Amino acid sequence: MELGLAKTRLKRMTEASCIFCNIVSGDIPADIVAESSNTLAFKDIAPLSKVHILVIPKKHYKDVVDLTESSPAVLGELMAQATNLAQQHTNGSFKLHFNTGAEAGQTVFHAHAHVLSDESKDDS
Ligand code: 5GP
Ligand code: ZN
């Protein structure tokens, strides 16, 4: 088989078994809080703080390095979405992070930003 075709098939198999690709397609339900052309934001299923939102590209990239190298414009859109949501849901104090690689705690290999805060807007 041609290498390009093999890579395309492997990518399709990865996407079919990817939890976040399945959330984008609607096959797995999620508490969606916002959407833009190329990004989706939803509440984390196991929140680590009062506000815990995940922002993902709709297309599959394995981590933020892959996303940055392949689609810097989508990374920009994702950052805009994440910081807008942080401002809407918190009093302005928040953490924004990307776990990258299993040793750094990445468990879902579809790029995502965590928006975390213990100060929700309701507190202020
Ligand atoms: P990571 O550890 O890869 O940086 O973050 C993955 C995050 O995805 C975790 O915080 C985990 O709780 C969340 N997560 C895993 N599966 C699901 C799911 O099916 N739905 C939602 N909403 N979040 C999920
Ligand atoms: Zn995916």
Side-chain angles (χ1 to χ4, degrees):
M1 191 190 304
E2 189 203 324
L3 187 60
L5 190 60
K7 275 191 182 164
T8 306
R9 287 201 179 154
L10 184 63
K11 190 163 158 62
R12 278 206 205 111
M13 279 163 62
T14 307
E15 290 169 21
S17 63
C18 170
I19 295 170
F20 289 175
C21 283
N22 278 284
I23 287 177
V24 172
S25 66
D27 290 320
I28 293 180
D31 191 347
I32 292 169
V33 295
E35 186 174 5
S36 72
S37 320
N38 297 297
T39 71
L40 189 68
F42 51 90
K43 293 194 178 161
D44 196 291
I45 204 167
L48 296 174
S49 55
K50 219 181 262 183
V51 176
H52 191 169
I53 296 169
L54 301 173
V55 188
I56 69 169
K58 287 180 179 172
K59 267 184 71 180
H60 185 91
Y61 301 93
K62 71 181 169 75
D63 57 27
V64 71
V65 176
D66 186 18
L67 173 60
T68 305
E69 289 174 352
S70 308
S71 291
V74 176
L75 174 70
E77 194 175 318
L78 185 151
M79 290 299 290
Q81 177 78 273
T83 52
N84 280 338
L85 285 169
Q87 283 166 301
Q88 281 170 33
H89 289 262
T90 77
N91 66 6
S93 294
F94 61 90
K95 293 178 190 166
L96 178 58
H97 73 237
F98 295 86
N99 293 330
T100 307
E103 286 174 13
Q106 187 176 3
T107 57
V108 177
F109 289 83
H110 177 130
H112 53 281
H114 294 256
V115 178
L116 295 152
S117 181
D118 279 324
E119 307 299 330
S120 70
K121 197 82 161 180
D122 314 331
D123 300 333
S124 50

